[in-house]
């Protein structure tokens, strides 16, 4: 107990309702239920990913069980964060249903305690956890996912059965754009048989061809490309040959070859700079802007799911219909999750405004829960 005392003191300090026993008791019940729901969801994801990694990577590399578990711990956290709203929904449902079955909820209501008094602390704590998720857990999960992708890429490069595809990149500034093409990429990340086409942009955005550079090898450094055995040609001028040639670059050397594939691989703190870089290079950053809005809306989503779980489990046992109402809450939670995915797809395609795609579903979930609470509590 003495060893746990510092942790309990820290948790007590983080609890804004620490001086109120009733709110603290209900809050702890909700946190325990959420933790239980998280363990169940994580276990299912671990099982699915274990089978997938064993089938996909196990055929290309001699991996033992401990190595597969290590890869599992790198890949799964990102997926768990996507499904984390369900942990709040199921955890809050189980917590309030438990309070209902033990007649504790009846005692609270009989004492004249409003439902708002013990629902708002749980909702507020869910929002606080949402802030911690996007600022701390998301960057950690992104780093782990990057390491998994690096391991997977290393296997693909060493596997001769994997078909090599051409590489296309693009970099640029406000008045200049460069399109890069390479036949292949070796194990060190060096582009082979690379070609650089450079264009200048007029004020109306019209591109004008400026020149072309062909190089046997091209290595992306921190601020520049290092080209070997390069040939530079410009319109109306004789070609020039260089053993080594350096040209400026604003691409990130760590993420230049995969950043356009998955916005989920960019953590919360890097998203603004990545969005600026993609837009400067002439690409659409809609997926990354949507990802930023979805992360910013995470506290609202967690709070909405928590409030929904509470709203659908407040019906007293003696009135009946609690099981049906609870199942309705679970069904509505799944509908909200798939609605969020649908809005995300429509936002990426720019069918609806990106801001609306990122914030609509969390706002609707919280407003629906508040409406149901007002209806059941205040008539």
């Amino acid at each position: 107990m003495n060893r746990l005392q510092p942790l309990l003191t820290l948790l007590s300090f983080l609890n804004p309702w620490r001086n109120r026993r009733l709110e603290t008791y209900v809050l702890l019940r909700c946190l325990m239920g959420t933790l239980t729901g998280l363990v169940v969801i994580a276990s299912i994801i671990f099982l699915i990913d274990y089978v997938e990694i064993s089938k996909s990577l196990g055929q290309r590399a001699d991996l033992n069980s401990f190595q597969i578990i290590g890869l599992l711990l790198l890949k799964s956290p990102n997926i768990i964060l996507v499904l984390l709203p369900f942990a709040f929904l199921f955890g809050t449902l189980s917590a309030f249903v438990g309070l209902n079955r033990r007649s504790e909820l009846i005692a609270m209501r009989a004492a004249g305690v409003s439902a708002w008094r013990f629902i708002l602390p749980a909702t507020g704590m869910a929002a606080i956890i949402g802030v911690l998720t996007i600022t701390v857990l998301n960057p950690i999960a992104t780093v782990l996912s990057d390491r998994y992708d690096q391991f997977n890429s290393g296997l693909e490069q060493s596997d001769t059965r994997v078909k090599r595809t051409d590489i296309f990149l693009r970099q640029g500034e406000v008045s200049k754009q460069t399109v890069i093409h390479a036949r292949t990429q070796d194990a060190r990340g060096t582009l082979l048989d690379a070609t650089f086409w450079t264009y200048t942009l007029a004020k109306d955005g019209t591109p004008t061809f400026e020149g072309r550079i062909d190089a046997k090898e091209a290595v992306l450094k921190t601020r520049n490309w290092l080209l070997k055995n390069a040939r530079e040609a410009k319109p109306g001028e004789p070609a020039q040959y260089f053993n080594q040639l350096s040209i400026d670059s604003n691409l990130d050397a760590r993420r230049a070859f995969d950043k356009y594939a998955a916005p989920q691989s960019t953590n919360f703190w890097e998203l603004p700079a990545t969005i600026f870089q993609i837009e400067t290079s002439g690409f659409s950053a809609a997926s990354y802007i949507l990802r930023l809005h979805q992360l910013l809306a995470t506290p609202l989503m967690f709070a909405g799911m928590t409030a929904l779980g509470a709203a659908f489990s407040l019906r007293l046992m003696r009135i009946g219909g609690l099981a049906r109402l609870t199942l309705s809450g679970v069904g509505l939670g799944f509908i909200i999750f798939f609605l969020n995915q649908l809005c995300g797809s429509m936002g990426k395609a720019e069918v609806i405004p990106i801001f609306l795609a990122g914030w609509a579903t969390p706002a609707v979930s919280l407003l629906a829960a508040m409406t149901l609470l007002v209806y059941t509590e205040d008539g």
Side-chain angles (χ1 to χ4, degrees), residues 338-352:
F338 287 113
L339 178 62
N340 192 37
Q341 299 300 313
L342 176 62
C343 288
S345 299
M346 296 176 69
K348 290 178 182 178
E350 300 186 34
V351 176
I352 60 176

Side-chain angles (χ1 to χ4, degrees), residues 201-233:
L201 301 179
K203 292 183 178 181
D204 60 354
T206 304
T208 302
F209 180 70
E210 184 181 82
R212 166 177 174 169
I213 302 176
D214 296 280
K216 290 296 184 181
E217 294 184 6
V219 181
L220 179 58
K221 302 293 184 179
T222 304
R223 295 287 182 179
N224 65 304
W225 285 96
L226 180 61
L227 311 181
K228 296 181 179 180
N229 297 325
R231 175 182 178 273
E232 182 179 13

Side-chain angles (χ1 to χ4, degrees), residues 38-351:
L38 177 60
V39 170
V40 172
I41 292 174
S43 300
I44 296 174
I45 293 174
F46 283 150
L47 179 60
I48 296 174
D49 283 345
Y50 184 88
V51 175
E52 180 182 350
I53 292 174
S54 299
K55 292 179 62 177
S56 60
L57 299 185
Q59 296 177 352
R60 289 182 288 163
D62 187 14
L63 301 177
N64 56 42
S65 298
F66 292 103
Q67 291 174 322
I68 294 177
I69 292 175
L71 293 174
L72 190 68
L73 296 176
L74 296 179
K75 179 183 179 182
S76 299
N78 235 355
I79 305 175
I80 293 174
L81 291 184
V82 175
L83 300 179
L84 198 54
F86 284 108
F88 286 92
L89 175 64
F90 298 150
T92 306
L93 276 171
S94 64
F96 278 95
V97 168
L99 292 174
N100 217 335
R101 291 185 182 279
R102 292 189 297 271
S103 299
E104 292 174 306
L105 194 60
I106 298 176
M108 296 178 193
R109 306 297 290 274
V113 178
S114 172
W116 297 100
R117 181 176 171 182
F118 47 80
I119 289 177
L120 288 180
T123 305
M125 186 58 70
I128 294 174
I129 295 176
V131 174
L132 293 176
T133 298
I134 63 176
T135 57
V136 179
L137 298 182
N138 172 259
I140 294 175
T142 302
V143 170
L144 296 178
S145 180
D146 284 344
R147 293 184 180 179
Y148 173 81
D149 292 338
Q150 290 172 5
F151 180 85
N152 195 16
S153 299
L155 287 181
E156 289 182 354
Q157 291 178 0
S158 62
D159 191 350
T160 57
R161 296 172 297 177
V162 178
K163 183 180 179 180
R164 300 295 190 268
T165 58
D166 290 2
I167 297 173
F168 289 91
L169 297 173
R170 186 170 175 174
Q171 67 179 32
E173 301 172 354
V174 177
S175 59
K176 188 176 182 179
Q177 296 285 331
T178 301
V179 179
I180 306 168
H181 168 251
R183 294 295 182 185
T184 187
Q185 180 183 11
D186 66 12
R188 300 170 298 171
T190 302
L191 298 184
L192 305 179
D193 297 327
T195 303
F196 293 70
W197 290 277
T198 305
Y199 300 85
T200 55
L201 301 179
K203 292 183 178 181
D204 60 354
T206 304
T208 302
F209 180 70
E210 184 181 82
R212 166 177 174 169
I213 302 176
D214 296 280
K216 290 296 184 181
E217 294 184 6
V219 181
L220 179 58
K221 302 293 184 179
T222 304
R223 295 287 182 179
N224 65 304
W225 285 96
L226 180 61
L227 311 181
K228 296 181 179 180
N229 297 325
R231 175 182 178 273
E232 182 179 13
K234 296 182 178 181
E237 298 181 9
Q240 300 183 29
Y241 296 86
F242 304 89
N243 291 329
Q244 286 192 353
L245 178 63
S246 177
I247 60 175
D248 295 334
S249 174
N250 60 0
L251 295 179
D252 185 353
R254 295 185 302 110
R255 311 183 66 83
F257 304 106
D258 60 359
K259 67 178 181 181
Y260 302 120
Q264 289 76 13
S265 63
T266 306
N267 71 58
F268 173 75
W269 300 108
E270 294 178 348
L271 273 172
T274 303
I275 292 171
F276 175 77
Q277 181 178 343
I278 293 174
E279 291 180 337
T280 303
S281 299
F283 288 104
S284 172
S287 298
Y288 293 84
I289 298 174
L290 174 64
R291 176 64 174 168
L292 179 60
H293 282 296
Q294 288 177 334
L295 288 177
L296 290 174
T298 297
L300 193 63
M301 175 64 84
F302 288 0
M305 285 297 199
T306 301
L308 274 177
F312 277 94
S313 55
L314 286 178
R315 189 180 183 92
L316 301 180
M317 291 288 294
R318 59 181 176 82
I319 299 179
L322 178 61
R324 184 172 63 254
L325 195 61
T326 302
L327 290 177
S328 300
V330 174
L332 182 59
F334 278 101
I335 292 175
I336 288 176
F337 178 80
F338 287 113
L339 178 62
N340 192 37
Q341 299 300 313
L342 176 62
C343 288
S345 299
M346 296 176 69
K348 290 178 182 178
E350 300 186 34
V351 176

